[in-house]
Amino acid sequence: MADKKILNRMSYLIGHLKANLKMINEGRYCIDIIRQNQAVISALRKANELILQNHLETCVTRAIKGKSVKEKERVFQEILEVFNEK
């Protein structure tokens, strides 16, 4: 699971969040902070896309190829639950 793209994206997010926190501590203009927060949210969505892609290519593929109907149902249910949590 330790895909380099995912790790790089998460490291970027941590750095960006620290920069946002610094902006807040410095009393920077609220709209600038919001814009930076929106950039973090966008980057987090991209990280989730990468993680989902990895999950589909590994765990879900393995479950589909496997013999257990229960496991297939479980992985599909997990995906549905993730998208219904909005």
Side-chain angles (χ1 to χ4, degrees):
M1 172 60 190
D3 185 292
K4 188 168 175 67
K5 287 181 188 176
I6 296 167
L7 291 173
N8 287 343
R9 173 80 47 179
M10 297 306 283
S11 293
Y12 164 80
L13 280 162
I14 290 168
H16 207 138
L17 280 172
K18 287 180 181 179
N20 291 11
L21 183 59
K22 183 179 176 188
M23 289 175 71
I24 293 167
N25 284 328
E26 292 173 350
R28 299 274 296 273
Y29 188 58
C30 297
I31 297 301
D32 291 341
I33 296 168
I34 291 170
R35 285 188 177 128
Q36 291 304 310
N37 285 342
Q38 289 172 327
V40 169
I41 292 166
S42 176
L44 193 53
R45 282 190 184 109
K46 181 62 179 171
N48 277 346
E49 289 174 16
L50 293 171
I51 294 167
L52 177 60
Q53 179 181 355
N54 182 70
H55 182 63
L56 293 172
E57 292 171 354
T58 57
C59 303
V60 175
T61 300
R62 192 173 20 239
I64 291 170
K65 289 180 179 179
K67 294 178 182 176
S68 172
V69 173
K70 193 172 188 175
E71 181 64 9
K72 291 175 191 177
E73 290 173 354
R74 185 189 69 77
V75 295
F76 286 124
Q77 187 60 40
E78 281 179 337
I79 293 170
L80 291 173
E81 288 172 4
V82 165
F83 286 101
N84 288 327
E85 289 180 356
K86 293 181 180 180

